[in-house]
């Protein structure tokens, strides 16, 4: 049998691509060597958010007296925290498996190889199966980058995937990398009482987002007890007894940090495993598969989506790209747009962004307007006891919203309103004149929108 669509990789890009193909009436086979859901569901987005919830509850328990509530003795059973994380992941993986079955999608468990156009070879427990496919979608994801540092392979030097399996908390953790992955784990572990040091070679944490946000976040993290070392390079890691010694260097010289665990959070790279680039003649760009706006490669009937194409390595981007690819296979006129891609960072407080940053607009020489509204002036945020942070909106000279950043309670959910605004080219006035329920957190967005054309209402 020849399938109309063959998908290599069952992550959030691959499995959604398969579901969409089935909806369009296409015959589809999906090949996955591990569990459905990919890194996001099994070792990334979902398990870390389960840990974030446990950390949030622990933090709230410590603040209960502020709300007139008094609890007895409390302790963290981290093995139980990890067990709950596993339950959440297993439930969602099971849900994806049921969706595949309900859509009559053939799922082949095994390591797939794409060497020749028109077929995928899969190594399973029963041997090698060659599957004929009319169109191939490459969705092989990414893998953690292991930077070349002496001692990087020592026991106790782990990636996020390995750290998620540990059932005991270390006393001290060094996080190499001040990006999204590093800071989310740093926040979780710091909340549970682990002494955390974050080492970042660049001048600022979270360098890809609006620079005002990390400037506001860094002192908050330091106040919580976290050690933040920017403009600092890791020279080596060595073992002394049961401890790991991380040698770092900044403008002041060399110093050493003694820890139990080292988390490598220095980014991810496209995973090209199983794809015979040379034999196929597949075109790459900066180590990633090159595609057009329809997610087509340079080869007829070969598409690529998600982290393997580089760019914005986010699960929801992979999902959107998967839908675009299979819609194009199905004959629809579509194109992938990166105009309004939201990003959510689950530190405390949460951070979410969309569109242009202020430094980007400055670099482009654009005329723009800025408006900010603090959560300290929002009634719902005060009632929640989460008044740290702000909404920041950027608009062009005509008041059209081109970017936004939120740092504060439920930022990851609040950003959706501004994603729509950026995507649809809405003016700040459109948001300001939309009636928002009271008392709610989205009123902070409305207030910031008022500030683009005038002044927020509840700000002196």
């Amino acid at each position: 049998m020849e399938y109309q669509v063959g998908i290599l990789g069952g992550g959030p890009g691959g499995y959604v691509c398969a579901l969409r193909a089935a909806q369009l009436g296409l015959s589809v086979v999906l090949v996955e060597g591990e569990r459905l859901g990919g890194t996001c569901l099994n070792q990334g987005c979902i398990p870390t958010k389960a840990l974030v919830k446990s950390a949030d509850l622990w933090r709230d328990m410590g603040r209960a007296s502020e709300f007139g509530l008094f609890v007895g003795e409390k302790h963290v059973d981290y093995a139980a925290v990890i067990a709950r994380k596993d339950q959440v992941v297993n439930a969602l993986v099971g849900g994806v498996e049921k969706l595949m079955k309900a859509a009559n999608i053939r799922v082949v468990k095994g390591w797939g190889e794409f060497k020749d156009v028109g077929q995928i070879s899969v190594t399973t427990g029963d041997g090698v199966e060659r599957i004929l496919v009319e169109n191939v979608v490459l969705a092989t994801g990414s893998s953690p980058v292991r930077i070349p540092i002496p001692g990087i392979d020592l026991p106790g030097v782990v990636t996020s995937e390995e750290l998620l399996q540990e059932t005991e908390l270390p006393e001290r953790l060094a996080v190499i990398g001040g990006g999204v992955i590093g800071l989310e784990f740093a926040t979780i572990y710091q909340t549970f009482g682990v002494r955390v040091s974050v080492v970042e070679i660049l001048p600022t944490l979270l360098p890809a987002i609006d620079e005002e946000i990390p400037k506001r976040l860094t002192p908050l993290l330091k106040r919580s007890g976290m050690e933040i070392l920017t403009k600092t390079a890791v020279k080596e890691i060595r073992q002394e007894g049961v401890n790991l010694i991380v040698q770092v260097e900044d403008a002041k010289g060399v110093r050493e940090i003694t820890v139990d665990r080292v988390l490598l959070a220095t980014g991810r790279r496209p995973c090209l495993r199983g794809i015979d680039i040379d034999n196929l003649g597949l075109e790459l760009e900066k180590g990633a598969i090159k595609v057009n706006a329809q997610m087509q490669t340079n080869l007829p009937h070969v598409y690529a989506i998600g982290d393997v194409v580089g760019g914005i390595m986010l699960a929801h981007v992979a999902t959107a790209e998967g839908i675009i690819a299979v819609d194009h296979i199905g004959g629809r006129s579509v194109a992938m747009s990166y105009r309004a891609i939201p990003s959510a960072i689950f530190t405390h407080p949460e951070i979410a962004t969309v569109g242009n940053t202020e430094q980007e607009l400055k670099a482009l020489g654009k005329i723009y307007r800025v408006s900010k509204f603090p959560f300290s002036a929002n009634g719902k945020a005060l009632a929640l006891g989460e008044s740290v942070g702000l909404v920041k909106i950027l608009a062009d000279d005509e008041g059209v919203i081109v970017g936004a950043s939120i740092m504060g309670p439920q930022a990851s959910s609040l950003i959706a309103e501004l994603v729509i605004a950026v995507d649809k080219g809405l003016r700040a006035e459109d948001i300001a004149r939309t009636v928002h329920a009271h008392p709610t957190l989205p009123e902070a967005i409305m207030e910031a929108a008022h500030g683009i054309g005038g002044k927020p209402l509840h700000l002196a």
Side-chain angles (χ1 to χ4, degrees):
M1 175 181 177
E2 182 179 33
Y3 294 89
Q4 290 171 291
V5 182
I7 303 167
L8 192 58
Y15 88 73
V16 172
C17 182
L19 289 172
R20 180 62 172 170
Q23 288 179 349
L24 296 178
L26 302 172
S27 58
V28 56
V29 59
L30 182 141
V31 177
E32 172 56 58
E34 297 182 345
R35 301 213 302 174
L36 292 176
T39 295
C40 173
L41 184 44
N42 292 285
Q43 298 104 16
C45 322
I46 298 301
T48 53
K49 300 307 106 54
L51 297 186
V52 165
K53 177 61 178 177
S54 293
D56 286 346
L57 283 172
W58 182 249
R59 186 185 301 107
D60 288 344
M61 288 169 67
R63 299 181 57 203
S65 61
E66 296 177 25
F67 297 83
L69 306 174
F70 299 89
V71 297
E73 184 180 349
K74 60 185 188 297
H75 73 281
V76 175
D77 181 345
Y78 196 65
V81 170
I82 294 297
R84 178 185 177 271
K85 178 264 295 181
D86 291 339
Q87 289 173 356
V88 171
V89 170
N90 290 338
L92 289 171
V93 171
V96 173
E97 291 171 346
K98 289 178 181 177
L99 287 171
M100 296 291 108
K101 187 175 180 179
N104 293 316
I105 295 167
R106 185 187 175 202
V107 177
V108 181
K109 172 116 176 159
W111 291 106
E113 291 184 307
F114 182 49
K115 297 180 178 180
D116 301 296
V117 173
Q119 72 172 21
I120 298 173
S121 298
V122 189
T123 302
T124 68
D126 299 323
V128 178
E129 178 184 359
R130 288 178 175 80
I131 303 172
L132 299 179
V133 291
E134 184 180 339
N135 298 280
V136 172
V137 180
L138 302 173
T140 49
S142 62
S143 56
V145 173
R146 298 185 73 92
I147 54 178
I149 298 172
I152 205 74
D153 295 320
L154 286 171
V157 181
V158 299
T159 67
S160 58
E161 295 176 5
E162 297 157 329
L163 196 62
L164 281 167
Q165 303 307 314
E166 299 196 359
T167 56
E168 292 185 6
L169 290 167
E171 289 188 15
R172 286 218 57 175
L173 172 71
V175 178
I176 302 178
V180 175
I181 295 173
L183 287 189
E184 287 190 355
F185 274 98
T187 302
I188 292 165
Y189 275 66
Q190 179 74 23
T191 301
F192 286 135
V194 177
R195 289 177 292 162
V196 177
S197 298
V198 177
V199 184
E200 172 56 56
I201 195 169
L202 296 176
T204 179
L205 301 176
L206 301 171
I209 70 172
D210 193 295
E211 59 189 6
E212 180 172 354
I213 301 302
K215 283 181 181 178
R216 289 175 176 265
L217 178 68
T218 300
L220 295 176
L221 296 179
K222 289 181 177 179
R223 201 177 307 156
S224 74
M226 195 180 298
E227 183 178 35
I228 304 294
L229 304 173
T230 52
K231 296 184 182 177
T232 304
V234 177
K235 307 301 290 182
E236 70 167 7
I237 305 169
R238 68 179 189 275
Q239 191 158 16
E240 289 187 3
V242 297
N243 296 320
L244 290 168
I245 310 299
V246 182
Q247 187 184 89
V248 300
E249 183 177 20
D250 60 12
K252 297 179 181 178
V254 176
R255 55 170 290 201
E256 295 183 339
I257 306 169
T258 302
V259 297
D260 307 294
R261 284 286 182 276
V262 176
L263 170 63
L264 298 177
T266 48
R268 300 179 68 88
R269 62 164 59 96
C271 179
L272 301 174
R273 175 182 175 180
I275 305 171
D276 194 333
I277 302 295
D278 294 333
N279 186 62
L280 290 163
L282 200 60
E283 191 173 345
L284 301 183
E285 188 172 53
K286 297 180 179 178
I289 297 176
K290 186 177 180 179
V291 293
N292 61 18
Q294 289 71 41
M295 311 313 298
Q296 289 176 297
T297 70
N298 62 303
L299 302 178
H301 305 291
V302 179
Y303 296 72
I305 62 172
D307 289 4
V308 77
V309 304
I312 306 173
M313 291 187 176
L314 295 171
H316 45 280
V317 174
T319 295
E321 291 172 342
I323 293 170
I324 290 292
V326 81
D327 274 4
H328 191 259
I329 290 170
R332 300 191 174 201
S333 179
V334 291
M336 182 64 196
S337 171
Y338 299 95
R339 171 190 173 101
I341 301 295
S343 177
I345 305 168
F346 293 84
T347 49
H348 182 77
E350 283 186 6
I351 296 167
T353 67
V354 66
N356 290 121
T357 64
E358 189 166 2
Q359 61 263 34
E360 286 173 344
L361 294 174
K362 286 179 180 177
L364 292 169
K366 298 283 188 180
I367 299 173
Y368 65 95
R369 307 179 201 174
V370 184
S371 178
K372 307 170 192 177
F373 189 81
F375 280 107
S376 58
N378 176 268
K380 182 63 180 291
L382 287 170
L384 292 173
E386 298 285 350
S387 59
V388 174
L390 80 163
V391 174
K392 177 178 181 178
I393 294 178
L394 301 169
D396 66 15
D397 56 347
E398 295 183 354
V400 176
I401 298 174
V402 296
S405 299
I406 303 174
M407 185 178 81
Q410 300 174 35
S412 58
S413 296
L414 293 176
I415 198 67
E417 181 175 2
L418 290 164
V419 174
I420 294 171
V422 172
D423 188 55
K424 303 306 178 186
L426 299 182
R427 294 166 56 86
E429 185 179 6
D430 297 325
I431 299 292
R433 292 190 177 277
T434 298
V435 178
H436 289 63
H438 173 77
T440 62
L441 296 173
E443 288 179 286
I445 295 174
M446 178 189 69
E447 291 278 6
H450 273 294
I452 290 294
K455 186 177 180 181
L457 300 173
H458 291 82
L459 204 58

